[in-house]
Amino acid sequence: MKEKLSGILDNALHQIEESGELEKLNEIRVAFLGKKGELTSVLKSMKDVAPEDRPKVGQLVNEARTKIEARLEEKKNAFEKKLREEKMRQEVIDVTLPGRKKEFGHRHPNTLALNEVEKIFIGMGYEVVEGPEIEYDYYNFEALNIPADHPAKDEQDTFYINDQILLRTQTSSVQVHEMEKGKLPIRMISPGRVFRSDDVDATHSPSFHQVEGLVIDRHITFADLKGTLEQFAKQLFGEETKVKFRPHHFPFTEPSAEMDVSCFKCGGKGCRFCKGEGWIEILGCGMVHPHVLEMRDIDPEKYTGFAFGVGLERIALLKYEIDDMRLLYENDIRFLSQF
Ligand code: DAH
């Protein structure tokens, strides 16, 4: 029995010594000390041992057990120490290395231009409101005095979701939503994205942005329109800016006009920037058509108003002297961070 025990002990210690990894130690523990382990089986066979020898054998088993446990513990600690050291070596922090800078983006020229436009109109007491990009045909056309067969619908072809729902072609639809709220007077601008089925080139994109403006109150005249938009142009492009109104046609305003600003590059003499014209067209505007008011139950005898719409990209391209609209949609930080 004694030899058997010392054989088990030697074997266990040998296996522990040879074990190459932490997980292996547990297997060895189970194999020798577990319920069905070799050492445990010796205790179980105690009945075969002569009664007077039993205490001695019991003691030997316990000694063997203690030795194996101690060796297992030692080996385990050694393994863990090695792992810890390995980890430390891998996770060395070189505090002398420069930190990793977080790359911030940059405000888009559209955003910069919009901030300026909003600041100017908020300063004049306007509210900034938003409207839906996915819109009913009714709000985009019909309620703006553009019935089903109107040629304006050809000029503003767009993406249809179904017969009645489309991607809006103009922020003018927000005029209708605002009037529908039923609160007068109205003094609002509404920036947002619009869509047209246009091909991409230096000045066109199937998706761009506009800022709509609408004022409705008593005694609003064309003089208010001119004064407001002239003030807007001066604040946006500089005090010396002159404005010019050319008659035009929009179905939802009467009379309608387009506003040009004197070229802020050459002051109106004519240069490459204004293509020799001295003037640059920047927006459409007019007095709200009486029929548009009537459709919203606003009495055109009591209330009048003016509206305008400006292309945001157009303002950004002009202000920051960018000559190709496509650059605005590439999101190249090297380009964007110039402004
Ligand atoms: N919605 C027009 C367009 O996209 C622009 C416009 C013209 C808006 C005249 C207006 C306006 O509010 O009065 O071409």
Side-chain angles (χ1 to χ4, degrees):
M1 185 57 84
K2 207 171 167 190
E3 286 89 75
K4 189 178 177 195
L5 269 174
S6 83
I8 293 174
L9 181 59
D10 284 349
N11 190 13
L13 295 181
H14 177 71
Q15 284 196 28
I16 293 171
E17 220 41 64
E18 295 291 296
S19 68
E21 50 184 8
L22 198 55
E23 289 73 33
K24 191 89 188 148
L25 290 182
N26 209 29
E27 287 171 26
I28 298 171
R29 179 188 304 277
V30 173
F32 288 93
L33 311 179
K35 265 192 201 147
K36 291 179 184 150
E38 287 191 40
L39 209 52
T40 320
S41 70
V42 175
L43 283 178
K44 280 182 187 159
S45 60
M46 202 67 115
K47 57 182 184 313
D48 304 330
V49 176
E52 62 275 22
D53 290 338
R54 283 181 195 166
K56 185 74 194 147
V57 172
Q59 196 192 338
L60 286 174
V61 170
N62 279 340
E63 277 172 18
R65 182 181 194 88
T66 311
K67 278 190 189 140
I68 294 172
E69 272 174 350
R71 197 67 200 104
L72 279 169
E73 189 63 22
E74 263 175 50
K75 195 73 181 170
K76 182 174 158 236
N77 288 341
F79 275 140
E80 282 175 352
K81 185 160 173 242
K82 216 169 118 202
L83 281 176
R84 228 173 8 250
E85 281 168 1
E86 184 74 15
K87 204 166 171 210
M88 295 283 259
R89 229 184 343 269
Q90 280 171 5
E91 291 179 0
V92 163
I93 296 171
D94 183 350
V95 290
T96 64
L97 281 176
R100 287 201 196 106
K101 256 213 226 135
K102 198 158 169 58
E103 285 283 349
F104 283 104
H106 192 276
R107 280 203 190 91
H108 193 278
N110 272 356
T111 309
L112 294 171
L114 179 58
N115 286 350
E116 292 227 16
V117 172
E118 286 185 347
K119 204 169 81 196
I120 295 167
F121 281 103
I122 288 170
M124 293 196 266
Y126 285 58
E127 206 186 332
V128 181
V129 304
E130 279 185 45
E133 289 172 10
I134 302 173
E135 186 56 281
Y136 286 103
D137 181 286
Y138 179 80
Y139 287 84
N140 196 83
F141 294 123
E142 208 112 335
L144 289 165
N145 217 16
I146 307 170
D149 300 321
H150 198 285
K153 267 185 115 160
D154 278 343
E155 283 162 31
Q156 298 195 6
D157 193 14
T158 182
F159 307 91
Y160 283 80
I161 309 246
N162 59 34
D163 282 355
Q164 289 152 42
I165 301 172
L166 44 75
L167 300 187
R168 68 178 175 190
T169 63
Q170 46 186 354
T171 45
S172 302
S173 53
V174 189
Q175 290 189 29
V176 185
H177 289 290
E178 277 308 290
M179 288 187 254
E180 217 173 35
K181 286 182 185 165
K183 268 196 257 146
L184 293 173
I186 294 170
R187 213 167 252 99
M188 70 92 178
I189 58 166
S190 183
R193 191 170 184 182
V194 299
F195 305 82
R196 305 220 179 148
S197 67
D198 281 343
D199 289 328
V200 176
D201 65 25
T203 53
H204 291 86
S205 160
S207 160
F208 57 104
H209 300 78
Q210 294 184 328
V211 184
E212 192 73 17
L214 176 68
V215 172
I216 298 178
D217 203 347
R218 291 180 184 266
H219 315 301
I220 298 290
T221 69
F222 204 86
D224 296 305
L225 177 154
K226 286 178 77 176
T228 303
L229 294 179
E230 180 174 7
Q231 193 53 39
F232 166 60
K234 283 181 187 298
Q235 288 194 37
L236 192 62
F237 294 114
E239 219 17 69
E240 59 299 330
T241 307
K242 291 198 270 303
V243 296
K244 177 168 88 173
F245 291 86
R246 279 178 292 103
H248 200 79
H249 172 264
F250 296 104
F252 40 91
T253 46
E254 179 60 34
S256 306
E258 279 186 334
M259 184 176 88
D260 298 345
V261 294
S262 56
C263 177
F264 42 85
K265 267 263 143 168
C266 64
K269 288 195 284 291
C271 65
R272 193 184 65 90
F273 204 65
C274 57
K275 302 194 179 75
E277 298 281 327
W279 295 95
I280 300 170
E281 179 210 318
I282 66 157
L283 57 78
C285 57
M287 300 303 291
V288 180
H289 197 292
H291 188 222
V292 170
L293 294 173
E294 277 164 359
M295 280 189 274
R296 300 276 73 78
D297 292 328
I298 298 171
D299 184 351
E301 295 298 323
K302 288 194 187 139
Y303 284 95
T304 49
F306 66 84
F308 55 91
V310 349
L312 189 58
E313 277 80 355
R314 188 154 175 74
I315 303 275
L317 296 182
L318 286 171
K319 251 194 101 72
Y320 305 113
E321 300 184 21
I322 302 165
D323 55 14
D324 192 326
M325 190 171 175
R326 286 168 288 201
L327 290 166
L328 292 179
Y329 304 120
E330 282 171 2
N331 260 351
D332 185 332
I333 190 72
R334 292 167 302 179
F335 166 75
L336 296 176
S337 54
Q338 296 175 77
F339 308 102

